Amino acid sequence: MDSRCRILDAAARIYAEFGFRGATTRRIAREAGVNEVTLFRAFGSKEALIEEAMRHHAATQSRSRHVLPEVPEDPARELTAFAALQLEELREHRSLIRKTMGELEERPDLAPTVTAGWAECDAVLHRYLGRLRDAGWVGDLSADDLLAAGAMFMGALFSDAMGRDMLPALFPQPAERAPGVYTRLFLRAVACRDAAAVEAAVDAADDAPAAARTADHPHIVTAS
């Protein structure tokens, strides 16, 4: 890893732990194994460094943005795998997301950058829903209905990832069951055809490890 990437990764970690004010250039430099002069030469200011760190983070950390196939074959399994990867990624980076949300009023400029990957995943989901509708997998729903159903699905994933450690009783237990449970309810909401097959597929996905769920479907590609 080159020094620039090392500095950006360090800045993101320090920001996630301490917030903007606590993410001093001294702390970032120490974490990255460089001196403060190097930081200022490379980025000019702490503000510019943090903003670039957030862009770098968004560009390199979204593993789940391209996991829904162009041609739907098994909506229950495909959406369960999508949900599992979304939850894994959000939980991994929830400290950074929470810190950004907590400082949103003071530093609103960081929010679009931090949420860029999530917004792209949301767009991937809605395009997939359109393909399901066009292929006859779901009811003839209006664009507004599809938008609302997708928002509820993504909102459930986000709420689970951000809130499970604080309010575990509000979410499906154990955590490994959550992707299948959310998918089952979502597919009911969009009137997915062959409800019995959906139930069986989601139950099977509940019982499979996340790695096996992904390996079973070569069209599901995760970024490193």
Side-chain angles (χ1 to χ4, degrees):
M1 181 185 296
D2 63 35
S3 61
R4 184 179 181 85
C5 288
R6 192 167 68 249
I7 291 168
L8 293 173
D9 287 343
R13 289 194 300 272
I14 294 296
Y15 175 80
E17 184 173 358
F18 298 104
F20 185 83
R21 293 182 182 176
T24 64
T25 53
R26 179 177 296 180
R27 277 178 169 156
I28 295 170
R30 184 168 58 244
E31 178 77 5
V34 300
N35 59 55
E36 286 184 85
V37 173
T38 300
L39 299 186
F40 288 107
R41 284 178 177 170
F43 299 97
S45 67
K46 185 177 102 169
E47 288 80 1
L49 168 58
I50 296 297
E51 290 176 8
E52 182 62 25
M54 296 301 100
R55 283 191 289 270
H56 175 75
H57 173 85
T60 59
Q61 295 302 318
S62 187
R63 297 187 300 256
S64 55
R65 62 180 64 167
H66 299 302
V67 299
L68 290 171
E70 288 298 319
V71 180
E73 297 177 358
D74 188 337
R77 290 189 181 277
E78 291 159 5
L79 284 167
T80 298
F82 175 81
L85 287 169
Q86 290 279 355
L87 282 169
E88 181 182 355
E89 184 171 294
L90 286 167
R91 288 169 183 157
E92 182 179 350
H93 303 296
R94 64 186 167 199
S95 293
L96 179 63
I97 296 168
R98 286 172 175 170
K99 196 68 69 177
T100 305
M101 292 175 67
E103 298 189 349
L104 184 59
E105 291 186 0
E106 185 177 354
R107 305 201 65 80
D109 50 309
L110 290 181
T113 301
V114 173
T115 60
W118 176 256
E120 186 173 343
C121 288
D122 182 69
V124 167
L125 173 65
H126 282 90
R127 289 194 293 270
Y128 177 78
L129 293 181
R131 296 195 294 273
L132 287 181
R133 181 185 58 188
D134 294 343
W137 279 99
V138 301
D140 187 18
L141 303 174
S142 69
D144 283 345
D145 286 342
L146 285 180
L147 186 66
M152 288 190 291
F153 186 55
M154 296 293 278
L157 300 178
F158 188 84
S159 177
D160 187 311
M162 296 299 111
R164 178 179 288 272
D165 58 335
M166 296 182 288
L167 295 166
L170 297 186
F171 304 98
Q173 300 293 342
E176 290 74 18
R177 290 189 62 246
V181 173
Y182 295 140
T183 297
R184 177 188 293 118
L185 293 175
F186 172 68
L187 289 175
R188 286 177 182 170
V190 297
C192 187
R193 75 185 190 198
D194 197 355
V198 168
E199 295 288 333
V202 173
D203 286 341
D206 278 349
D207 295 334
R213 285 196 297 269
T214 302
D216 286 344
H217 301 282
H219 57 262
I220 295 177
V221 180
T222 59
S224 59

